Structures are given as C-alpha cells and as structure tokens.
Amino acid sequence: MILTVTLNTALDVTYTVEALVPHTSHRVGEVTERPGGKGLNVARVLGALGHDSVVTGFAGGPTGDVLRSLLAPLPPRDALVPVAGNTRRTLAVTDRSTGDTTQLNEPGPQVSAAEWAAFLRTYGELLADADAVALCGSLPPGIHVGAYAELVRIARAAAVPVLLDTSGEPLRRGIAARPDLVKPNAEELAQLTGSRDPLRAAGDARRRGAHAVIASLGPDGVLALTPDGAWRAAPPAPVRGNPTGAGDSAVAGLLSALAEGLDWPGRLARAVALSTATVLAPTAGEFDAGAYAELLPRIVVEPHPPTP
C-alpha cells in the first residue's frame, strides 16, 4: 500500500466561461467539482496505475462532506481525519477564448492541537502497512511549520520510504529531517537554496538532508541528484497542453516505481512519461493512458553531467 498525506485537502471547483473579462459579470458555461489537494491527486494517479493507495489528512464541514462523497467511488481509500472547520475550496476559472486559467485558493480550516494529535495517531497506524509515503502540499492554519519534519521522522522511524513535496519553510525544515526523496520545482529549489542553477541547488538540498532530489524543470523534464548518481530525463519532444497536475503525476510515477523496485532511470522515465501524458490529457489533472504507454519507452534518460 502507498500512503499519501494531504494536510490541506480541497474541493477543486472549475468554472468555464467564454471569455474572462475583469469588472464584468459572467455566465458560467460549465461547473466541475472533484476532490483535490496534491496528495489526493497523487493517489488518484496511483489508483489508475493499479496500485493500492490510501489518502489521509483532514476534511471537515459541508465542503469536506462533498469532497468525501466524491472520493468514495474512486480507487484511493479514504482515511481522512475529521476537523471542525470547513475544508477549503480552490476555484479555477477557465477562459475558453484563450485557454488560460485563473486560480483562487482558500487558506484551509483552522486545525486544533487535539485534531493534530488525532491525525498523528491515524498516521502512525497507517504507516504499519505502507510501502511508501508521500507528504504533499501546503499546511492549513493551526499546523506548526515543522509538521512535515515531524512526519518525516515518524516515517523514518517506521522504516517507510518518504517523499516530501512542499515548498517554503515547511520544505526547508522537512529536508533537515532527512526524507528519502524531495521533488521541488526549479523555482521552489531556488527559493530554498538561493541558487538558480538546478544542479548546484539540488546538491545544496542534498547537503541539507535530502537523500535524493528530483527537480522538476517543467517541459524540459527533471534533474535527479541521488546517492547513485545524477540524471536528466526529458520527453522526446516538447508538448503543448494544460500542465495542471503534471507534478502530482510525476510524484505518483516516482512512488509507484519505488514500490516496484525499479532503478533510478526507470523511476525517472515513468515520472516524466506520466507528467507529459498529464499535459496532453483533455481533462486537467488526469493523464492520457494511451499517450503514457507510447511515451514511456521514448523518454530520454542520460547521466548528468553528460559523459564525453
């Protein structure tokens, strides 16, 4: 079983309008709702790949009820911990005329000390059956900034490989707890280390405590710096589409390949193929299974720096 943690779950609401014009009223042509938050997105992709996955984190209030009802028929199993506050919503407004999307993200519910303690009990119980765990996304109000560092240490004490995918101060503190893998994008890595050279920044992140760093380079693929060496992995050609959820698909690829015992080139190829297939999918946040199968054997994985 693969466990994903989303402390700040969300109900993702998407409005589609013909054209988004500031300071005017709009008639919404289409409304979609789905359970969201990075770890839930990762678990959904894991389920599509055939992996048993469990989601935990927090859900509460009327919005949390809707989220859990939408989650119920999906492959990930629901182990979310109830809170008194209302789960946040993320509102995306898609402009048909340009294809652009405007995103509005609520902060999330206030989480009490008792609710955090209840989550820690659930987390510890779930780790007993986990092959790997992913800690994903932002922290809701009330959760201390070192929360991910605490969860990394608990996973390591249980001998469960742990991947951390967050940003800012929670990432800095989480890395110091020595996670097995971190997956920042280039901007998050630059903010962490002060360096805009991805290889130099990844090396700095490893010195800070991460065992392996997978830096997302957007359409250029990923850079991996691991105890076994450094690699670049990229799609065979640039693609156009919606990048929403591509990073979460990459995390699912890394976790599933880790659980299956693949080597680093195999893990990176799967991560890049899944993230690219997500960009190509007609529905934001999903991946195109046909494109994934066609891309996987064509992903270019090379040692980095390149050998002469």
Side-chain angles (χ1 to χ4, degrees):
M1 177 268 282
I2 298 176
L3 176 65
T4 72
V5 174
T6 312
L7 296 178
N8 208 9
T9 58
L11 179 65
D12 290 343
V13 182
T14 301
Y15 290 166
T16 301
V17 299
E18 289 303 318
L20 183 61
V21 182
H23 314 300
T24 64
S25 296
H26 297 79
R27 187 175 298 278
V28 177
E30 182 181 351
V31 181
T32 60
E33 294 182 334
R34 70 175 193 170
K38 292 180 72 64
L40 269 69
N41 297 337
V42 170
R44 192 163 50 239
V45 175
L46 287 169
L49 293 172
H51 280 267
D52 180 28
S53 59
V54 175
V55 296
T56 191
F58 296 108
T63 307
D65 291 341
V66 174
L67 183 151
R68 299 185 84 162
S69 69
L70 293 171
L71 186 61
L74 299 177
R77 286 183 281 146
D78 178 355
L80 296 169
V81 175
V83 292
N86 197 33
T87 293
R88 68 185 179 130
R89 294 164 297 175
T90 64
L91 178 62
V93 182
T94 299
D95 183 329
R96 286 189 188 275
S97 66
T98 63
D100 294 334
T101 297
T102 299
Q103 190 89 16
L104 302 172
N105 296 330
E106 296 179 357
Q110 184 79 24
V111 177
S112 70
E115 289 164 343
W116 175 244
F119 167 79
L120 289 178
R121 289 192 294 272
T122 296
Y123 179 66
E125 293 167 359
L126 292 169
L127 283 176
D129 295 319
D131 299 312
V133 58
L135 310 175
C136 304
S138 62
L139 300 177
I143 298 296
H144 65 96
V145 73
Y148 281 134
E150 182 177 0
L151 299 184
V152 169
R153 287 191 290 267
I154 293 170
R156 288 181 56 78
V160 177
V162 56
L163 181 153
L164 178 61
D165 184 13
T166 188
S167 60
E169 187 66 11
L171 175 61
R172 187 183 72 80
R173 297 200 185 193
I175 281 181
R178 304 187 63 80
D180 295 271
L181 176 61
V182 295
K183 196 212 71 61
N185 60 36
E187 183 60 31
E188 291 164 347
L189 199 55
Q191 290 175 359
L192 173 72
T193 66
S195 174
R196 294 203 167 270
D197 178 282
L199 185 62
R200 184 184 300 275
D204 189 349
R206 284 204 68 216
R207 287 188 291 274
R208 290 167 184 253
H211 286 260
V213 179
I214 311 299
S216 173
L217 306 178
D220 295 325
V222 299
L223 168 68
L225 193 59
T226 82
D228 300 324
W231 288 272
R232 281 286 298 269
V239 300
R240 294 176 60 86
N242 188 339
T244 301
D248 301 331
S249 290
V251 170
L254 292 167
L255 282 173
S256 61
L258 171 66
E260 294 171 26
L262 300 187
D263 60 11
W264 276 110
R267 297 176 198 178
L268 299 175
R270 181 175 293 182
V272 172
L274 276 171
S275 61
T276 305
T278 300
V279 174
L280 293 170
T283 303
E286 306 293 338
F287 75 92
D288 184 317
Y292 167 66
E294 190 272 335
L295 281 163
L296 184 58
R298 300 175 56 223
I299 298 299
V300 179
V301 183
E302 296 179 329
H304 186 83
T307 54

